[in-house]
Amino acid sequence: AEAIAARLGAEILSVDSMQVFRGMDIGTAKPDPATRERFAYHLVDVAEPTDEYNAAEFQTAGASVLDSAAAGGSDIVIAGGSGLHFRSLVDPFEFPPTDDGVRAELEATDVEVLRAELLAADPAAAAVVDLANPRRVLRAVEILRLTGATPTQRAQSPQAGRVRGYEPSRMFTAIGVDPGDRIGRRIEARFDQMLDAGLLDEVTGLAPRLGRTARQAVGYRQLLDVVERGRPIGSARDEAIRATASLAKRQRTYFRRDPRIRWIPWHHETEQMLDGALESLAGDTP
């Protein structure tokens, strides 16, 4: 992304759900301050780790960046692994409201009761909500209580149809880099590099200030067990690597569904990979 931005004279907008948090530097592979200044990185270090910085807030902030760039004739390279955050910027996503009081009440309610409430209002809810997933059931009931809209009604809206059809609200060109079977080795090597760079010390210092969202970050979640519960570091390391591989697989599946993304192979030589990406971009209107 930085190589492409350098060639294009562009800025970079990070679509990483955890790089938004200040202090979470090593474990999110956050660019160093000099690199962030060189490329005018956006949406890095915009929230405290205690914050519940959600995708709707990210969307609002990111849209402001993109609107300003468009008005000034600047190019933006959007880069990162969070598919939801990426699509929130380029597709007509609408995030239903949330309410801390309602959520607290729902979290204290048995999920079977919530499931019954949802099905009473929307007997066809199972077609659009994973009723075996308590978190999704809770969220569906929260939206139902706050808006009166059932899952079926929301799924049948024109906006939802445009999202399902990958009809963008902003024009863009997308390139995906496919690492092939190298990904597992790269994940393991990178996590060990993070540990060598002081990731455990970073997690130890942040532990008292990590909110609910930040505590779920892969790598941080496993090392918090070391800091707070005395888990052996070797066991936490192995689980973090497995969790990262699982996350990468989910991300790859998510992005592979998007027909607008052109895929190029990963190369050890950055220039060769960059040339492939720019060749894919040639002739397009971003």
Side-chain angles (χ1 to χ4, degrees):
E2 289 165 4
I4 292 174
R7 288 275 189 99
L8 299 179
E11 299 175 2
I12 295 177
L13 194 164
S14 166
V15 284
D16 186 299
S17 63
M18 295 299 166
Q19 285 188 355
V20 299
F21 294 115
R22 301 182 187 95
M24 295 177 66
D25 301 333
I26 300 171
T28 65
K30 193 178 293 179
D32 61 51
T35 302
R36 299 207 303 265
E37 182 176 355
R38 177 187 175 192
F39 292 103
Y41 264 86
H42 298 280
L43 296 188
V44 173
D45 286 352
V46 296
E48 292 299 324
T50 51
D51 295 341
E52 299 297 324
Y53 195 84
N54 59 38
E57 293 173 286
F58 183 96
Q59 181 187 49
T60 299
S64 177
V65 170
L66 294 175
D67 289 343
S68 295
S74 300
D75 290 325
I76 295 283
V77 174
I78 300 176
S82 173
L84 175 63
H85 289 69
F86 164 65
R87 293 200 66 193
S88 78
L89 299 182
V90 301
D91 290 329
F93 265 71
E94 293 179 0
F95 293 99
T98 186
D99 181 273
D100 290 342
V102 172
R103 178 164 286 268
E105 178 184 348
L106 296 177
E107 288 175 344
T109 304
D110 186 274
V111 68
E112 292 296 338
V113 175
L114 298 180
R115 193 177 290 115
E117 178 180 344
L118 185 63
L119 289 173
D122 184 1
V128 289
V129 176
D130 180 3
L131 298 182
N133 186 324
R135 182 172 59 86
R136 296 191 183 279
V137 172
L138 187 151
R139 178 60 174 149
V141 174
E142 180 186 23
I143 296 169
L144 176 65
R145 290 190 182 184
L146 291 174
T147 69
T150 67
T152 298
Q153 289 170 338
R154 291 188 291 113
Q156 292 175 345
S157 71
Q159 174 267 341
R162 291 194 296 272
V163 170
R164 285 194 300 272
Y166 292 95
E167 299 176 23
S169 53
R170 297 178 186 271
M171 297 305 297
F172 67 96
T173 298
I175 301 297
V177 179
D178 187 351
D181 59 6
R182 300 179 180 88
I183 188 69
R185 297 190 299 273
R186 289 173 61 80
I187 286 171
E188 183 173 4
R190 189 181 78 155
F191 194 75
D192 285 339
Q193 290 167 1
M194 290 176 174
L195 288 174
D196 290 343
L199 178 56
L200 183 58
D201 289 338
E202 179 173 278
V203 174
T204 301
L206 287 170
R209 300 191 295 119
L210 292 177
R212 180 170 57 183
T213 300
R215 291 178 73 88
Q216 296 307 307
V218 173
Y220 290 85
R221 182 171 69 246
Q222 290 77 21
L223 292 185
L224 280 169
D225 282 346
V226 177
V227 173
E228 298 176 341
R229 285 174 279 280
R231 180 179 187 176
I233 183 64
S235 171
R237 168 200 176 271
D238 292 346
E239 183 180 332
I241 290 170
R242 289 194 298 270
T244 305
S246 178
L247 173 62
K249 182 178 180 180
R250 294 195 302 274
Q251 290 174 326
R252 190 179 194 179
T253 299
Y254 188 98
F255 283 113
R256 281 287 186 183
R257 294 192 188 107
D258 193 329
R260 303 166 297 186
I261 298 177
R262 300 181 187 180
W263 291 90
I264 63 173
W266 180 88
H267 295 287
H268 180 70
E269 299 80 8
T270 300
E271 286 300 315
Q272 185 178 357
M273 187 162 59
L274 174 59
D275 289 341
L278 292 175
E279 183 179 344
S280 294
L281 290 170
D284 283 359
T285 302

